[in-house]
Every structure is written in C-alpha cells, then in structure tokens.
C-alpha cells in the first residue's frame, strides 16, 4: 500500500500527532474536566508534559514494547493520557468497560495478557484484585483516585501522580529510551486494541493499527470540516471504538478540545455548560431527552404549552427543509424566525445543543419522529453506520442528504458491496488488522482481498446511493410458511413508542410472531402519575391492566404499519407479554452497549416463549437477577399474555 | 488528665486516646429518669455506636454529647478538660457536628447552600462586608466554598449541587445532611440513626461513606443505629443501653455474646 503523505511527514502515530499539536496549538485547550465544581483545563503543551511524565513513569515500572496495558474507568483526562503514554512506550492500550463485573474483566485481562492495569478508582481496583489470582500475566496496577486505597498493600499498586513524579525524576536517564521508542512507532504498528461487546459469544479483541485510526480520523474530520476550535463532551464508554475515534483519533488529528464530565450523573448539566460543537449520542439518548422535555412541558402553564405545541408544529414543517436548503415559503420562514427566540433557541440551549455544528447518531435505528424533532430545531443531526472492525466509519450522511431511514453514503475511502445473501461487505483504510489471538475468526470475517462482512443485511437505494440496513443478517430468517422474518425491523417500530423501552420478537420457523415488551419506567411512570395509577414497583407497573392495554394499542398500531410492507407483513405480532423485569447487561440479556442478546433471552425465558406460542392466557415464572454489587437474587411473577389484533394480509390486498 | 493509650482494631487501625468521656451521667425530666449513671468514653479515630431498644435513652445520650441537654448529674469531659454547660452552637464551635434522626435541612435552599451552612462556624466576616461581598467576606467565602466542594466530591453529590433539597429523595437528603456535618470539619461527628428508613442499597452507600469519612479524615464518629447488622459491621466499640442504664460496653463480638444484651433485645420473663 502506498504511504500516505501524513505517514511520510512523520505523523504516523498518536504520540507524533501529540508532538505536532503541542508545537502548533500549544496554548489551545486540549482537555477540560470539571473538578470541585470548576472547569479545569490543560493546554496541548501541558497535556504533552503530563503524558511524557506518565510515559517515563511507565518506563520506570518496566513496561516493555508490545506489553498490553488495560485502562479502566469513566472518561477522565488522566485515562486519555494513559492511552497515549502507553503508545509512547510502545505498549498497546486496551480499554475495558468500567461497568463490567469482575468475571467479565477477568476474561479480557487474561485474553490480552495485560501486564499492567491503569484503573480510575477503588471500585475498579477492587474488581481487578478480586480476579488477580486467575491472571497469569498481571503485574502492576496504577490508580488515579487514591480515595479508600491508602491502606491497600502497595507492593503491586501505584498512585498515578506518584508514577508521574517518578517519571519526572528519572527523566534524565530515560528520556533517550523514550524518544527511541516513540520514534520507532510505525504506521502499521498497533495503535489500540478494543474488545467488541459481542452480541454472540465471548468478546473479541479487535486490533487497530495507527494507519487505521489516523486515516479514518483524517477522512472523517475532513468530511465534516472539523476544526481546532471545536469541542466535544467525552461521556461515552472509553472502551467503545467511537469514543476512541472522536476523543483521541479526531481530537489529535484536528487538535480540538475534549471535555470530561464531573461525574456520571452530571452529564446533562456539563453538556449545557460546555455546549459542544461536535456531538455523538446513541438514538436512545435523543429519545430520552425528548421524553424528559415533554414530561416537563406537561407541567408547564397552558400558554407555554400552547406556544410549544404551535411552534413545534411549524418547526416540523419548516425546520428540516431549511436545514437541507430546500425551498420554503416566506411566511413559513418568518414564523420559524419568530419561533427561534421563543421556543427553538431555549430548547436547544437546555439540551446543550446551542453550538452544535455536527451531531451524529448510530448503533440502532432511530425513530423518524425523534430524528425530525431534533432536525426541526435546526440541529444538524445525521446518521452514520459503522463498527469496531471498521474503525467506526462505513457510511455516513453528507450535509443536505439526511434521512431517518438510511445510514448514508460510503465514507471517504470506503468501498461497499452487497452479497447475494443480502449481507453488507466493506473494504476501507480503517479495516482492522486482526482479532487478537483468533486467526479463525479473523479469516471468517475478513477475506484475502480485505473485504469484511458486517453481519448486517441491507441494500443500496438506487436513486440516492444511500445504504439501508434491514436487520442483523443472522437474525433474518424464515417463518414456518416461508415468509421473511426480520425481528429487528418490527422491534424498532415498537421501540419508537416512548412507552416501550425494549422489545424482543420471536417467530423464526413458527407460524406466527410473538413479542416480549419492556416498558420505559420514566414514560410509563409519568403517565401513571398523571392518571392516578398507584404502583409500588417496576414489576407491579409492568403488570397493570391499563398499562397492558396501552401497550396493546401500540402493538396493534405497529402491526398495521408492518402490514404495509409486502415482504414483511408476516411479522405482525399475534401475541405479546410485558416482562416483569428490565432487560439488563448485568444479567447478560443486553450487551454493554445495550443491544439485545436474542438467543440468550430466548433460552433464559424459555418458559415464557413456550407460553407465547401454546395459547395459554398467563404464565408463572421465576427469574434470576444480578444486583449492582454482583449478588444474585430471584424474582417471581405471573404474567398475563395478550392477543393483539393483526391486519389480515389478504384483506389489505383487497383494499388496495 | 488525658488518656493517651489507644488500641488497635481488628482491621489494624490505630485508635488514639480518649477524646470525650461521659462520667456518671444522669438526666432527669421531672420525675422521669431518661439516663441513669452512665459512663463511657469515645476515643480518637474510632467509630463508637450507641444501641438499645426503643426508649432506652440513646437519643437523649446523643443530645447530652451535643450539648442540647445539660445532664442533671455527672460530667462531660472533652479533649482532656471538663466541659461546662454550654449552648449547642458553642459546642459546635468546639468541633462537634451532628445529623438528625428526622432530617433538619433547609428545604427551600439548594444542596450547595445547605452544605455551606455547615461552614458557618468557620466564618467571621461582618454582616456589612458580607452584604457587599468584598474583601475578607469574599476571600472567606471562596476558601469555604472550596472546602464544601471537597465534601460534595467526597460524598458524590455533584449532580444535585444546585437542586433544592425539597426535591430530593429521602436517601439523598440524609447524604446532604452528612455533607453539612462534614463541612464543619468536626473532631467528632454524631450521627442519629443515619440509616433509618433507607433501603438496602442506600444503607450500603451510607455505610461506605461513614467508613470512608473515618478512613480518609480520621474523624471520630459516634452513632445511634437500629439496624444491628450495620452497627456490628461498622463500629469498633458499642455501648448498649436499656431503660436508661448501660448494660453492655465492648467490641461488637463481646456485646453480641453478653447475656444482658441478649435478654434486653429478645426479652426475658420478669
């Protein structure tokens, strides 16, 4: 492969980009974090100093090139520095999901053979200590926040600031070694290793090279014209590839500022204070914000409610068109301009979106109403489609070509083809090197020519050239009568109702489709409050007859909408039940990125699935649950099963 | 006369000399004897619990410690000197802070403002300077705000910093009350049923914070609590009261095996 100009110019690693940024943008902010109620900031040159001190400290601890260093914790500048310091000494940073339980960490830590761990606090240290005897390679741990850790045995434990101090002291002896290692970093050396959340089976370690990350960061930054003056809020899990690309890849390529929230619970407030210009959030986030906003509007006075409703109606009509530069009548333009100071501006401001130039969502399908809501406020919300193996970007929507039902055109440098089976394949400079220690899986996913199977079924729209995703390729199946079964397609339609948090549709090789529904406690709880429905627990609310009736109406509306699609009209839900517990990643029912683990749910709740298909009206069940501290408990419930009206396919045909 | 000899706890913490000592305390309300001839000490750095069935006189005892009640007989010794009868605010200035059984926060004020009130004993700028927020008043507020922010960070209540206390759930209000007491940087912290009415998760959080406070700042803690599991896990030494009398005193294990204590809790045929 030809070496790109960046590679030739010496910018072939993240530490090299850091050096450039410290020279070019030395006085511009690189990191901010709210601490003790005040935003603290570090310029690029200060950050470079901190990172170098840490890298020298790592040398004093004996980190060798090629070692794996696990990084665990919520988004904090110290941990971002840890990535770059690890790279600087030739080691491979491996971020872990901080909400993972000890056993999950054990798997990843022993799979990558991490010799060193950098953990945020006592909670994370405790988890590693709990499983350390099962880790053959583990040697030393560094922690950032000393609280509660003072009295721990410090033979293998070091405080972050101490390691830095040690590094500064040893600067004279070790700086040559550090420089040598930093300069030895090649464009095709490993940049980072990220574990996929794994909707099926054990997580796999995706190895991404400097070339993957830097080429992707460059192309995507240019695509959206990202600038040094931009800023992002880093709040998504550090172990997720998106955060790595946004908060390290793109941030180092363009030199923009990464802001870290004060605590997990302060994200909304910090978002409002920072007002990022570039923003990413999963569809769920955009949905939750609307739900919260609408709930607050319910409590507002009559005039304010009228104002909000009227102007949001105008925005729905006008906003997206204005954003796409389409023709809008003068009257509508004037009304929209009037709504700006009255409604749109304040709503954007409260949501922390006042300064957003580019916002992305991805990971799941987004409801068209939700998508249009934000766009109608004048926020340039777009969709992208990607995965860890592609260093995120496969397709994305260019400005002016944004729609709710597609995921956009191939990102710069990405080639796409659709196999006969309908599965989407891609090839790009961001395509991963390999799965760590797993040549079989690598060979299964990536062929000799570099084409990677996404595992998603989709097609390219002929007139627009946009990609549309239907479902997970392996989930798409056949029903007993041979018609197409695409569960996710139906689930997404169900999930667009604010009252439904999660849905799982069953029906492969069955004559009819059925579904599990999870209610959204915020939305349904608020509805219950307004309707004077008393409930003591999630379980009680989920089993309330009026709630079941409401969900039934949603299911029936969904059926009517599914029936419109000739290919998928067989997927209408005939029977459903509302689950007595929220599907949870701690119980293994969802991945850490909150995707449904269909197969596992089907096995775990096999009694419920059987009841859905055998025609019984109610079913008694016992379910094991995991509490936050890892203890297990059991809940029991009797769930009623409801029949939903379906649109007979023949009748629809006749009506046409 | 200060006893400087300490002891080492089961988990290896060094406990210092006597910080506060109750000597033959009796408290009467008219003809009712709430506390009768009770003596015990609280040592520096320890977590000392006072337990007992309902009506045993635990809260009265705590009120004697905090200076709210003046004992009818007996003496309170604090930091090696006998403490004369005092007003509660004077006791507070001496480094005794407390939380209340039935939460006593300013409901209409934000969490931040509530916690700031805990710093009152550390502020002495005049009212005029405070009104124009100039000079000493401003420096003082900034220094105190920093202290308050450290407490907010420590108790992980950043997300509710600007929320009016009235809007908070019960468990969080309890935590805010602890924050206010901590903000005073007390030598001794009195907790009146810190876990009352909490669910298991909230109790676990609160226990963690109590242990962390003791661990991080070395604060001496005296607490009253009904939840036996919590008391036995948290405290280094326990005083057991029943009908105003002390019936047991020692480590959780000693107290657990004390026949009088078992009788008081399980009841005996009279």
């Amino acid at each position: 492969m030809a070496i790109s100009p960046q590679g030739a110019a010496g910018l072939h690693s993240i530490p090299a980009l850091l050096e450039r940024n410290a020279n070019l943008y030395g006085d511009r902010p690189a990191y901010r974090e709210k601490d003790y109620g005040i935003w603290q900031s570090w310029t690029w040159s200060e950050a470079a100093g901190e990172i170098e001190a840490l890298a020298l400290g790592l040398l004093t601890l004996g980190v060798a090139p090629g070692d794996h260093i696990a990084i665990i914790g919520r988004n904090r500048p110290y941990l971002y520095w840890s990535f770059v310091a690890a790279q600087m000494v030739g080691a491979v940073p491996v971020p872990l999901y901080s909400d993972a339980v000890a056993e999950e960490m054990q798997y990843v830590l022993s799979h990558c053979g991490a010799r060193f761990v950098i953990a945020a606090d006592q909670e994370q240290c405790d988890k590693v200590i709990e499983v350390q005897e099962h880790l053959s390679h583990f040697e030393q741990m560094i922690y950032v926040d000393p609280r509660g850790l003072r009295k721990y045995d410090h033979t293998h434990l070091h405080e972050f600031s101490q390691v830095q101090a040690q590094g500064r002291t040893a600067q004279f002896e070790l700086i040559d070694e550090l420089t040598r290692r930093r300069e030895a970093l090649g464009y095709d050396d490993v940049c980072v290793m990220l574990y996929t959340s794994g909707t099926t089976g054990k997580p796999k370690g995706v190895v991404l090279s400097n070339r993957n990350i830097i080429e992707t960061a460059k192309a995507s930054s240019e695509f959206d014209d990202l600038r040094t003056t931009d800023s992002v809020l880093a709040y998504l899990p550090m172990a997720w590839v998106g955060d790595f690309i946004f908060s390290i890849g793109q941030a180092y390529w363009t030199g923009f500022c990464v802001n870290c929230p004060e605590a997990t619970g302060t994200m909304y407030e910090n978002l409002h204070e920072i007002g990022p210009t570039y923003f990413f959030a999963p569809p769920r986030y955009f949905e939750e914000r609307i739900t919260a906003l609408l709930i607050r509007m319910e409590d507002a006075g009559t005039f304010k409610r009228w104002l909000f409703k009227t102007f949001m109606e105008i925005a729905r009509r006008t906003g997206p068109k204005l954003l796409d530069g389409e023709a809008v009548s003068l009257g509508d333009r004037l009304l929209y301009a009037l709504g700006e100071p009255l409604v749109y501006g304040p709503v954007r401001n409260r949501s922390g979106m006042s300064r957003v130039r580019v916002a992305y969502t991805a990971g799941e399908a987004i409801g068209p109403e939700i998508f249009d809501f934000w766009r109608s406020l004048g926020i340039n919300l777009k969709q992208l489609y990607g995965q860890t193996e592609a260093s995120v970007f496969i397709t994305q929507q260019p400005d002016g070509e944004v729609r709710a039902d597609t995921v956009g055109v191939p990102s710069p440098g990405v080639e796409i083809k659709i196999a006969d089976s309908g599965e989407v394949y891609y090839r790009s400079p961001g395509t991963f090197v390999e799965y760590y220690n797993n040549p079989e899986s690598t060979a299964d996913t990536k062929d000799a020519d570099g084409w990677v199977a996404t595992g998603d079924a989709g097609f390219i729209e002929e007139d627009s050239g946009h990609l549309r995703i239907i479902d997970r390729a392996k989930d798409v199946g056949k029903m007993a009568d041979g018609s197409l079964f695409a569960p996710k397609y139906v689930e997404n339609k169900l999930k667009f109702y604010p009252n439904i948090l999660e849905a799982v549709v069953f029906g492969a090789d069955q004559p009819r489709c059925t579904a599990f529904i999870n209610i959204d406690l915020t939305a349904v709880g608020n509805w219950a409050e307004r309707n004077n429905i008393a409930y003591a627990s999630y379980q009680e609310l989920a089993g309330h007859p009026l709630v079941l009736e409401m969900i039934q109406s949603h299911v029936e509306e969904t059926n009517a909408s599914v029936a419109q699609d000739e290919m998928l009209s067989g997927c209408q839900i005939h029977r459903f039940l509302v689950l007595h517990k929220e599907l949870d990643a701690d119980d293994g029912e969802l991945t850490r990125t909150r995707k449904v683990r269909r197969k596992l749910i089907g096995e775990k709740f096999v009694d419920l699935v059987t009841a859905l298909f055998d025609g019984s009206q109610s079913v008694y069940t016992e379910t094991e649950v995991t509490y936050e501290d890892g203890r297990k408990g059991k809940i029991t419930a009797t769930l009623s099963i409801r029949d939903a009206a379906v649109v007979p396919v023949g009748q629809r045909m006749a009506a046409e | 006369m200060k006893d400087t000899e300490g002891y080492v706890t089961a988990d290896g913490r060094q406990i210092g000399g006597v910080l506060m000592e109750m000597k033959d305390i009796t408290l009467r309300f008219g003809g009712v004897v709430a506390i009768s001839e009770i003596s015990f000490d609280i040592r520096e750095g320890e977590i000392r619990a006072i337990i007992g069935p309902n009506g045993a006189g635990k809260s009265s005892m705590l009120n004697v410690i905090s200076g709210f009640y003046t004992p009818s007989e007996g003496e309170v010794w604090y930091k090696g000197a006998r403490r004369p009868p005092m007003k509660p605010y004077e006791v507070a200035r001496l480094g005794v802070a407390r939380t209340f059984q039935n939460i006593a926060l300013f409901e209409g004020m934000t969490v931040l403002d509530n916690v700031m009130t805990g710093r009152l004993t550390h502020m002495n700028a005049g009212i005029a300077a405070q009104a124009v927020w100039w000079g000493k008043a401003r420096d003082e507020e900034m220094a105190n705000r920093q202290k308050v922010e450290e407490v907010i960070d420590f108790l992980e209540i950043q997300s509710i910093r600007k929320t009016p206390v009235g809007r908070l759930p019960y468990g969080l209000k309890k935590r805010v009350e602890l924050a206010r007491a901590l903000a005073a940087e007390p030598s001794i912290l009195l907790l009146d049923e810190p876990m009352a009415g909490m669910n298991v998760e909230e109790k676990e959080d609160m226990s963690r914070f109590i242990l962390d406070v003791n661990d991080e700042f070395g604060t001496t803690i005296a607490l009253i609590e009904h939840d036996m599991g919590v008391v036995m896990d948290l405290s280094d030494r326990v005083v057991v009261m029943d009908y105003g009398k002390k019936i047991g005193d020692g480590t959780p294990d000693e107290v657990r095996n004390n026949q009088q204590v078992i009788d008081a809790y399980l009841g005996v045929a009279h």
Side-chain angles (χ1 to χ4, degrees):
Chain A
M1 225 181 271
I3 291 176
S4 79
Q6 291 70 41
L11 298 175
H12 41 222
S13 69
I14 301 288
L17 286 172
L18 173 69
E19 201 181 341
R20 181 202 66 175
N21 291 351
N23 290 333
L24 281 183
Y25 320 121
D27 294 331
R28 294 201 54 80
Y31 291 95
R32 288 196 198 101
E33 184 187 35
K34 200 173 182 187
D35 206 9
Y36 298 121
I38 297 172
W39 283 99
Q40 318 282 343
S41 68
W42 291 267
T43 63
W44 278 106
S45 53
E46 283 165 345
E50 297 279 355
I51 293 167
E52 189 184 88
L54 179 64
L56 290 164
L58 291 175
L59 289 180
T60 64
L61 291 179
V63 176
D67 278 348
H68 287 92
I69 301 183
I71 297 170
I72 319 170
R74 67 172 180 87
N75 316 66
R76 299 200 62 186
Y78 308 95
L79 296 183
Y80 285 116
W81 302 340
S82 301
F83 276 97
V84 187
Q87 291 164 342
M88 221 178 246
V89 297
V92 178
V94 185
L96 268 64
Y97 283 93
S98 59
D99 58 350
V101 295
E103 298 91 79
E104 289 173 307
M105 285 192 178
Q106 182 191 329
Y107 176 79
V108 173
L109 289 174
S110 58
H111 185 261
C112 71
R115 271 182 74 204
F116 298 87
V117 174
I118 302 180
D121 51 21
Q122 186 186 17
E123 185 190 344
Q124 306 300 343
C125 284
D126 281 348
K127 286 193 264 188
V128 177
I129 290 169
E130 191 184 325
V131 298
Q132 66 179 354
E133 56 198 61
H134 306 290
L135 307 172
S136 46
H137 295 85
F138 171 68
E139 285 174 27
Q140 313 273 346
M141 180 147 58
I142 298 168
Y143 57 84
V144 178
D145 183 357
R147 175 174 166 194
L149 285 161
R150 273 185 236 291
K151 287 174 183 131
Y152 281 44
D153 174 12
H154 272 63
T155 36
H156 302 287
L157 210 52
H158 312 268
E159 191 179 338
F160 191 92
S161 56
Q162 295 296 324
V163 175
Q164 283 186 314
Q166 227 166 291
R168 289 192 182 100
T169 317
Q171 191 193 22
F172 187 68
E173 302 101 82
L174 293 174
I175 192 73
D176 290 342
E177 171 69 7
L178 183 65
T179 312
R180 196 183 59 72
R181 287 204 199 177
R182 185 170 49 197
E183 276 164 11
L185 296 173
Y187 213 33
D188 288 304
D189 286 341
V190 181
C191 177
V192 68
M193 190 156 103
L194 302 156
Y195 277 80
T196 57
S197 49
T199 29
T200 49
K202 287 281 183 193
K204 288 180 278 198
V206 180
V207 176
L208 296 172
S209 66
N210 288 319
R211 180 188 300 279
N212 292 152
I213 297 297
I214 293 175
E215 291 287 327
T216 305
K218 172 179 180 285
S220 54
S221 300
E222 283 166 3
F223 187 88
D224 283 310
D225 185 26
L226 300 180
R227 308 159 195 169
T228 324
T229 47
D230 277 325
S231 65
V232 294
L233 187 76
Y235 70 99
L236 290 156
M238 292 182 76
W240 176 61
V241 65
D243 188 61
F244 190 81
I245 286 287
F246 303 137
S247 305
I248 293 188
Q250 293 179 337
Y252 278 70
W253 178 260
T254 51
F256 62 66
C257 181
V258 174
N259 302 278
C260 298
E262 183 171 26
T264 343
T266 59
M267 188 257 168
Y268 282 13
E269 199 190 313
N270 296 155
L271 185 69
H272 178 224
E273 290 161 350
I274 287 295
T277 55
Y278 176 45
F279 183 65
F280 181 94
R284 183 185 290 261
Y285 168 83
F286 290 105
E287 211 175 309
E288 279 170 4
R289 291 284 334 222
I290 297 180
T291 310
L293 179 72
L294 295 183
I295 288 172
R296 288 204 66 177
M297 280 316 296
E298 298 275 352
D299 295 336
T302 327
F303 175 68
K304 281 187 183 164
R305 279 212 306 273
W306 172 83
L307 201 68
F308 180 75
K309 214 173 140 242
T310 313
F311 278 101
M312 283 316 295
E313 193 47 54
I314 293 164
R316 220 184 313 280
R317 217 169 51 218
T318 323
K321 283 189 195 162
L322 283 173
L323 213 52
D324 288 342
E326 288 172 31
V328 177
S329 73
L330 184 66
D332 277 350
R333 271 179 198 274
L334 285 175
L335 280 172
Y336 191 86
L338 186 61
E340 177 61 33
L342 290 174
V343 176
Y344 318 140
V347 169
R348 274 205 312 268
N349 182 29
R350 280 317 313 169
S351 324
M353 307 276 267
S354 287
R355 302 202 300 147
V356 166
R357 267 192 312 119
V358 188
Y360 273 110
T361 187
E364 294 273 337
I366 186 166
E369 297 82 17
I370 295 159
F371 195 62
D372 286 342
F373 179 94
W374 294 102
R375 289 191 57 80
S376 67
L377 290 171
I379 292 161
N380 187 17
L381 177 61
K382 311 198 280 184
Q383 294 198 78
L384 65 82
Y385 171 67
Q387 56 178 209
T388 309
E389 287 84 345
S391 311
V392 179
F393 296 95
I394 299 175
T395 65
Q396 60 197 122
Q397 296 177 324
D399 289 342
E401 291 180 42
V402 181
R403 283 164 46 194
D405 57 350
T406 78
V407 291
V409 299
S411 301
V414 181
E415 301 164 79
I416 287 198
K417 68 175 183 191
I418 311 288
D420 295 337
S421 62
E423 190 169 351
V424 180
Y425 284 74
Y426 66 89
R427 185 163 70 174
S428 73
T431 301
F432 72 120
V433 180
E434 56 169 358
Y435 290 121
Y436 185 68
N437 273 353
N438 195 344
E440 302 92 63
S441 281
T442 310
D444 282 351
T445 313
K446 186 166 93 163
D447 70 15
D449 295 330
W451 287 98
V452 181
T454 57
D456 288 321
F459 62 92
I460 291 181
E461 274 189 356
E462 273 179 21
D463 38 356
S464 66
H466 280 236
L467 179 68
R468 273 180 74 172
I469 299 294
I470 312 173
D471 203 337
R472 295 286 300 166
K474 68 178 166 39
D475 289 339
V476 175
K478 291 267 188 289
M479 300 186 52
D481 62 0
S483 59
L484 194 65
F485 172 66
K488 190 115 166 244
Y489 174 79
V490 185
E491 285 161 13
N492 283 334
K493 280 191 185 291
L494 283 168
K495 280 160 64 180
F496 293 154
Y497 292 95
N499 293 323
I500 298 179
L501 181 69
E502 211 62 73
V504 190
V505 172
F506 301 96
D509 307 322
Q510 297 279 359
R512 298 180 307 180
C513 277
T514 60
F516 286 177
I517 308 279
N518 245 186
I519 56 166
D520 185 313
L521 189 58
T522 323
V524 180
N526 192 266
W527 168 86
E529 201 176 297
R530 275 183 282 123
N531 290 282
N532 287 324
I533 292 168
Y535 63 97
S537 64
Y538 180 88
Q539 189 178 340
E540 193 181 331
L541 184 64
H544 197 285
L546 287 174
V547 172
L548 294 180
E549 218 146 88
M550 177 171 72
I551 299 294
Q552 177 153 5
S553 69
H554 294 339
V555 171
E556 285 168 1
E557 282 167 35
T558 305
N559 283 345
S561 148
V562 171
Q564 304 288 317
D565 194 312
E566 219 162 303
M567 264 161 70
L568 296 164
S569 57
C571 298
Q572 295 181 64
I573 314 279
H574 286 72
R575 282 158 62 78
F576 73 94
L577 58 79
V578 174
L579 282 177
H580 51 300
K581 74 173 281 281
E582 211 170 302
L583 296 175
D584 198 319
D586 286 348
D587 293 325
E589 293 146 350
L590 301 178
T591 65
R592 288 283 159 204
T593 46
R594 301 198 62 96
K595 288 186 184 140
V596 164
R597 281 186 162 137
R598 194 174 306 282
K599 194 158 161 241
L600 190 139
I601 293 172
E603 284 161 9
K604 181 168 178 176
F605 298 103
V606 68
D607 50 341
L608 301 182
V609 179
T610 315
L612 277 173
F613 286 109
D614 70 8
S616 45
Q617 290 307 302
S618 74
V619 55
Y620 172 80
T621 185
E622 286 185 0
T623 313
E624 189 173 80
V625 292
T626 313
Y627 297 111
E628 271 195 4
D629 60 1
R631 282 179 301 125
K632 306 236 184 227
K634 203 167 249 184
I635 54 174
T636 62
T638 306
L639 304 178
S640 58
I641 298 173
R642 294 219 162 200
D643 293 301
V646 292
V647 180
V649 179
Q651 188 186 326
R652 190 184 60 84
M653 305 276 273
E656 268 178 4
Chain B
M1 176 198 74
K2 196 177 168 185
D3 178 1
T4 49
E5 232 175 278
Y7 66 97
V8 177
T9 60
D11 58 346
R13 280 157 46 239
Q14 175 65 46
I15 300 298
V18 172
L19 182 66
M20 189 178 259
E21 191 170 8
M22 305 289 131
K23 289 186 177 171
D24 296 319
I25 301 284
T26 297
L27 180 68
R28 286 192 208 93
F29 297 108
V32 181
V33 182
I35 302 175
S36 148
E37 292 175 11
I38 288 193
S39 303
F40 66 92
D41 60 7
I42 301 169
R43 285 168 177 274
E44 249 175 83
E46 79 178 339
I47 302 182
R48 188 74 150 121
I50 304 172
I51 65 169
N54 281 329
K58 307 182 296 289
S59 285
S60 301
M61 193 69 235
L62 206 71
N63 281 324
V64 169
I65 300 177
S66 74
F68 187 68
Y69 292 150
T70 307
S72 318
E73 284 163 35
E75 295 172 352
V76 178
W77 283 65
Y78 179 56
K79 292 186 176 168
R82 179 166 176 265
R83 193 175 81 188
M86 281 182 172
K87 292 267 172 7
Y89 72 86
E90 292 170 323
V91 176
R93 287 213 175 131
L94 292 178
V96 179
R98 69 168 299 176
T99 67
F100 296 85
Q101 196 175 336
N102 315 310
I103 304 177
L105 291 165
F106 304 101
E107 297 265 313
M109 282 167 33
T110 62
V111 169
L112 179 64
D113 289 341
N114 266 284
V115 180
M116 273 303 261
T117 61
R119 297 296 297 171
L120 267 185
T121 52
H122 298 263
M123 297 193 205
N124 46 26
I127 191 161
Q130 301 238 7
V132 294
W133 204 59
W134 186 250
K136 188 179 174 193
R138 200 177 66 169
D139 296 347
E140 205 176 67
E141 175 161 336
M142 272 153 61
N144 283 306
R145 171 73 188 268
Q146 190 174 349
K147 197 70 219 167
V148 165
E149 284 296 340
E150 282 166 23
V151 173
I152 287 175
D153 182 75
F154 188 82
L155 293 179
E156 294 164 13
I157 47 177
Q158 301 98 329
S159 59
I160 53 167
R161 188 186 281 126
K162 299 268 169 73
T163 313
V165 164
R167 292 222 320 250
L168 296 177
Y170 181 79
L172 275 179
K173 283 186 187 173
K174 281 267 187 195
R175 209 189 289 179
V176 174
E177 223 191 11
L178 177 62
R180 181 179 61 183
L182 269 187
E185 290 182 273
S187 323
I188 180 163
L189 178 63
L190 309 177
L191 305 174
D192 195 353
E193 301 210 14
M195 328 270 174
M198 285 189 170
N199 65 31
V200 177
E201 208 178 317
E202 288 169 335
K203 277 183 188 173
E204 281 176 358
D205 281 351
M206 188 52 103
S207 305
R208 173 98 256 145
F209 286 125
I210 292 174
L211 287 172
D212 280 354
V213 167
N214 178 259
D215 196 45
E216 239 4 54
F217 310 125
T219 311
T220 308
I221 296 171
L223 64 98
I224 295 179
E225 184 49 59
H226 265 301
D227 187 317
M228 276 307 116
V230 169
V231 170
M232 296 300 176
D233 280 355
L234 283 184
S235 37
D236 300 313
R237 288 191 302 154
V238 183
V239 176
V240 193
M241 292 176 69
D242 192 19
Y243 296 113
K245 295 197 178 61
K246 182 168 103 170
I247 58 168
D249 189 353
T251 64
D253 277 339
E254 287 165 11
V255 166
R256 220 189 308 251
N257 299 319
N258 180 327
Q259 191 56 43
Q260 260 184 299
V261 176
I262 296 169
D263 291 347
Y265 268 90
L266 301 179
V268 282
H270 283 287

